[in-house]
Amino acid sequence: MAKKLDKVEVVTVGVGWTGGIIAAELAKAGYQVLGLERGVETSLDDYNQIKDELKYNPRNEMMDDLSDATLTFRNNLDTEALPIRDNGNLRIGKDTGGGGSHWAAQYHRYFPYDYEIYSKTVERYGKDKIPEGMTIQDWGITYDEIEPYYDKFEKMAGISGEEDPFGPQRSNPYPTPPMKDVPITKMFKKAAKNLGYHPLTLASATLSESYENPDGQRINACQYCAFCYSHGCQFGAKSDPIITVIPTAQETNNFELRTNANVTRILYEDGKAKGVLYTDTRTGEEFEQPADVVVMTSYTFNNVRLLLLSEIGKPYNPKTGEGVIGKNFCDHHVADGASSVRGFFNDKKFNLYAGAGGLGAIFYDLAADNFDHSDVDFIHGGVARITQGGSGAITHNPVPKGTPSWGREFKEKSLFYANRTLNVNFMFAVMPWKDHYMDLDPNYTDRSGDPLLRVTFDFKDQDHNLLKFGRDVCEDVMKEMGADIIEPSEDIEHISGSFIFQHSSGGAIMGNSPETSAVNNYSQMWDVDNLFVVGASAFPHFSSANPTGTVGAMAYRAAEGIEEFLANGGGQLVEPKDAKANT
Amino acid sequence: MVDDKNKNGNGDANQEEDSSRRKFLKDAGIFTGGVVGAGFLGGVIGNKWWDDSDSATESKTTPDFSEARIFFNRREDFNVLSWATERIFPEDDHGPGAILLGVPYFIDRQLAGPWGKNADDYMMGPFKEGESTQGFQSPLNRGEIFTQGIREINKVSNKKFKSSFPELEEEQQNEVLMMFENDEVELKNVSSARFFSLLRQATLEGAYSDPLYGGNRNMDGWRMKEFPGAQSAYINEIEEEDFIKMDPVSLSDYNQ
């Protein structure tokens, strides 16, 4: 029998970026917030041994262990899904900070086109441009409406960047100037300009200079030390919930962080969330935690799995297209290897061991609807970029094709090319499809017997066409950069179950109507007005760039909604409208 | 030509071919059953890869207490492993191979720990082969895969060349390993290609991880690769056009 605890006003399930933002905003406003965190509390002191590639990269020190629960994966409805067993293939942040601690800190906003993708595509190209089964829909909010929340996130995180001629309108410049230009970003920009594109320095949450945010939290200047992506920043120079929103919440004295608390159910009765059920991961003891408002702020997969396990909302049916929970699964980086071009330079060496997760150059000319799609066989697009994250000695062993992968020739060439190889890649947008979704697996369970989440996902023609388009662009850029050996990646026929970049979305998507979406534009559930589901689980599709800016903006908007909800004694914050969706 | 800057005045220490030394390694090699390991060999023949430092002298006088096995109970298994890693990352003009880098001891420790036991992986059944896009589905942990694979390497060697793997010529050893890489050998509950990819991965990890794990001895893996290790920062170098070569720094230096 679970032990029943005293009621709190707001409980968050997870304390990373979204949980931290909700906690900070509501605690500042005077509400009592409890953050339940499955992992432990971390601080900068925990990043003291961070310059250890083996521990943090191949051994995934900052990622969740899968021994209790994982996902199952299959490419299509007719295949039996099998578990992703190796924790190198499913890398999800653990402990406070979550993915916001180990991220590369590359920063983007999504485009006005993303928010109204269905309407704008139909308006410009007609309904026939959208293939059958591509379940894109408007997000129920416009770019102009969400812009102030991007601004808020950027000020909190101190984002470094410069104005983009193709970027959406901004109400304010970036809080800090862009990171340094380095030899490889200069080469990329020059090549891209020669080809007629508009390159710029990648915006980043690895900061160009020391910055104090509006909450009084200090983020230091990046030292380009290279132990960044998959690692926490020892210098406190990468925006991370553990040095920003979590301490902000804690300083109010209205926030309690409770760690080792694994939420297993949302308690739900008569159309209301009553609280959550959680297990102390050390003792196995169960607790019932009542709350006025429940906010789901864990990663996409766990948000969706908890909704399904708690039987909240109507599960999505891929055959009829009815239901919403689990709908529109997308994963952004799963085919990274299929959209890049590698260049080997025989007479040039670069200091590739140095770098920062957010250091790079990019152009947005081919993203969203920034160019005419009348003559191409896909919608949306991608961003071409080069980055210098700092190449690790273990994981970076590039050799030209045809070289054996071990032995004398491999050793010779991998040593020679270690500092002579650059990659340009095309991060592409991923569209949702009727048969790409998440549900509960019928065969595999966690230790307590609860079903695992099952993911059904593959490539469609849209993806193959867009990838080829992007590869060709990258190849042109690499040629212009003067590489001696140029190797475009090969197309991938089917996607593998390897979710390593924490860019997965959907399952509790945002929209205009309860018919086609799970949450309104405050991330409030249509069916349960005191339950908010925050994060990339709300993305109806995955745009071409990294998600954190948009996740952060949505969290700030959700916090505002929750405040309004609590102040006004409840109720739906948004009137449903007609869905603008391809069904 | 590439213009290398030399930040810490560290020149290329690693030159000169010494074929008699390589022959010694092989002859005195770890399959003869006596004292095994790079520390012993380093003590006997000196280590030309870092002979300008104090460590060569130290290795002659100070016993290396860490050169003992945790995971591999059988000496023969460890010898086979050692020569398999040496074929994957061989000694050459650039510097030491896997054996002198301590890679076999690195792998021994990794297999004895959480990685070898798949502590962070989902290991509940049922186990089915599935599609190639569904990832590895073996019920065996990495330690079990290594033990089985290593013994099978020796079996294949004996069958094909009438000799145990460590005693084979280099080309013969390569031929045996290629059979595993190409998935031509039957193993139980795991493919030989999967075993080989784990062996390759662990060998590179041992060559290039921080020396605190027992491989990358004297940071020579990093030196060969011109990788500077755990430097505190590169803010003063990041904009430099020319390549900057630095003496590597290990976590033990970093923590001083």
Side-chain angles (χ1 to χ4, degrees), chain B residues 4-23:
Chain B
D4 284 2
K5 281 195 184 170
N6 206 326
K7 191 191 179 194
N8 298 327
N10 175 47
D12 276 334
N14 314 339
Q15 266 91 29
E16 282 172 50
E17 180 66 11
D18 182 352
S19 59
S20 64
R21 182 171 167 283
R22 189 174 299 151
K23 187 170 182 311

Side-chain angles (χ1 to χ4, degrees), chain A residues 312-362:
Chain A
I312 296 174
K314 189 174 177 188
Y316 176 70
N317 181 332
K319 295 206 166 115
T320 62
E322 286 167 8
V324 288
I325 309 301
K327 181 181 173 171
N328 280 23
F329 176 78
C330 294
D331 190 274
H332 187 213
H333 271 308
V334 81
D336 247 15
S339 59
S340 68
V341 172
R342 186 174 267 181
F344 297 89
F345 294 77
N346 291 330
D347 302 317
K348 259 189 206 149
K349 275 170 93 176
F350 308 93
N351 294 304
L352 296 180
Y353 51 79
L359 177 61
I362 191 162

Side-chain angles (χ1 to χ4, degrees), chain A residues 27-138:
Chain A
K28 281 193 288 180
Y31 294 101
Q32 297 299 315
V33 184
L34 168 66
L36 295 177
E37 167 59 47
R38 181 163 57 186
V40 300
E41 182 172 13
T42 50
S43 76
L44 280 191
D45 290 341
D46 291 298
Y47 299 160
N48 191 263
Q49 296 294 299
I50 212 77
K51 290 169 191 261
D52 183 340
E53 187 190 5
L54 183 73
K55 176 175 169 182
Y56 288 95
N57 202 345
R59 299 288 181 270
N60 301 302
E61 172 72 11
M62 295 182 77
M63 313 302 170
D64 219 7
D65 110 54
L66 304 184
S67 60
D68 180 41
T70 183
L71 303 176
T72 66
F73 175 77
R74 60 180 180 172
N75 285 129
N76 56 59
L77 298 173
D78 302 323
T79 308
E80 184 182 349
L82 296 180
I84 297 172
R85 296 185 176 279
D86 180 346
N87 91 325
N89 281 327
L90 180 62
R91 292 163 35 111
I92 296 169
K94 65 173 181 189
D95 302 330
T96 53
S101 294
H102 69 74
W103 66 319
Q106 299 172 13
Y107 181 83
H108 311 260
R109 290 182 176 197
Y110 283 0
F111 289 89
Y113 174 74
D114 284 308
Y115 290 97
E116 298 169 88
I117 191 168
Y118 175 76
S119 302
K120 284 178 184 284
T121 306
V122 171
E123 187 187 316
R124 189 166 176 186
Y125 308 104
K127 219 171 168 230
D128 291 346
K129 184 73 181 172
I130 306 171
E132 200 191 329
M134 184 194 276
T135 50
I136 52 172
Q137 65 171 60
D138 290 0

Side-chain angles (χ1 to χ4, degrees), chain A residues 424-532:
Chain A
V424 171
N425 91 323
F426 187 76
M427 285 202 300
F428 68 107
V430 180
M431 297 301 112
W433 296 85
K434 192 176 175 187
D435 56 348
H436 291 175
Y437 76 113
M438 293 174 270
D439 65 353
L440 293 176
D441 190 273
N443 303 315
Y444 291 92
T445 69
D446 64 18
R447 285 202 194 104
S448 70
D450 279 338
L452 300 182
L453 191 71
R454 173 169 71 176
V455 171
T456 306
F457 186 54
D458 203 355
F459 267 178
K460 302 280 186 187
D461 288 344
Q462 150 88 17
D463 303 290
H464 293 292
N465 300 340
L466 179 51
L467 282 174
K468 181 177 182 333
F469 175 84
R471 248 190 329 263
D472 292 347
V473 171
C474 295
E475 193 174 351
D476 292 343
V477 174
M478 192 55 89
K479 270 184 196 150
E480 192 66 28
M481 286 169 69
D484 295 294
I485 304 169
I486 295 174
E487 291 182 355
S489 54
E490 280 158 23
D491 194 28
I492 293 171
E493 196 184 349
H494 296 289
I495 274 173
S496 292
S498 180
F499 302 102
I500 59 178
F501 289 97
Q502 255 198 279
H503 288 205
S504 320
S505 69
I509 65 174
M510 188 177 276
N512 277 320
S513 155
E515 292 297 309
T516 63
S517 61
V519 298
N520 66 28
N521 59 33
Y522 284 98
S523 302
Q524 180 185 31
M525 275 203 80
W526 292 113
D527 296 349
V528 190
D529 63 16
N530 68 335
L531 178 59
F532 291 73

Side-chain angles (χ1 to χ4, degrees), chain A residues 128-268:
Chain A
D128 291 346
K129 184 73 181 172
I130 306 171
E132 200 191 329
M134 184 194 276
T135 50
I136 52 172
Q137 65 171 60
D138 290 0
W139 290 30
I141 189 167
T142 63
Y143 173 77
D144 288 344
E145 287 167 325
I146 203 167
E147 199 283 337
Y149 306 97
Y150 276 116
D151 191 57
K152 242 179 167 170
F153 181 81
E154 288 165 14
K155 289 198 171 100
M156 178 275 294
I159 304 295
S160 299
E162 60 183 332
E163 197 71 42
D164 174 16
F166 277 88
Q169 287 257 306
R170 307 175 51 85
S171 52
N172 285 295
Y174 286 103
T176 53
M179 295 187 83
K180 291 176 188 293
D181 238 345
V182 300
I184 76 165
T185 55
K186 286 181 192 163
M187 280 170 71
F188 175 90
K189 286 179 180 175
K190 193 173 163 206
K193 263 184 209 155
N194 290 347
L195 295 167
Y197 300 116
H198 299 80
L200 67 154
T201 301
L202 186 60
S204 64
T206 42
L207 300 200
S208 58
E209 60 183 37
S210 176
Y211 173 78
E212 189 183 308
N213 79 9
D215 297 317
Q217 308 297 341
R218 169 74 56 186
I219 306 161
N220 294 317
C222 174
Q223 301 298 302
Y224 301 87
C225 82
F227 292 86
C228 194
Y229 175 62
S230 295
H231 299 68
C233 178
Q234 179 176 27
F235 298 104
K238 173 165 78 171
S239 305
D240 177 331
I242 72 159
I243 59 165
T244 54
V245 288
I246 297 172
T248 296
Q250 284 168 326
E251 284 161 19
T252 64
N253 293 321
N254 292 327
F255 174 63
E256 184 198 342
L257 172 66
R258 203 174 292 160
T259 55
N260 301 96
N262 183 32
V263 174
T264 55
R265 287 292 186 282
I266 310 299
L267 299 169
Y268 171 70

Side-chain angles (χ1 to χ4, degrees), chain A residues 52 59 75 393 397 405 444-445, chain B residues 122 126 133 200 205 213 225:
Chain A
D52 183 340
R59 299 288 181 270
N75 285 129
N397 293 287
S405 67
Y444 291 92
T445 69
Chain B
Y122 183 80
T133 57
R200 175 189 178 271
E205 287 172 355
Y213 293 99
K225 211 169 189 178

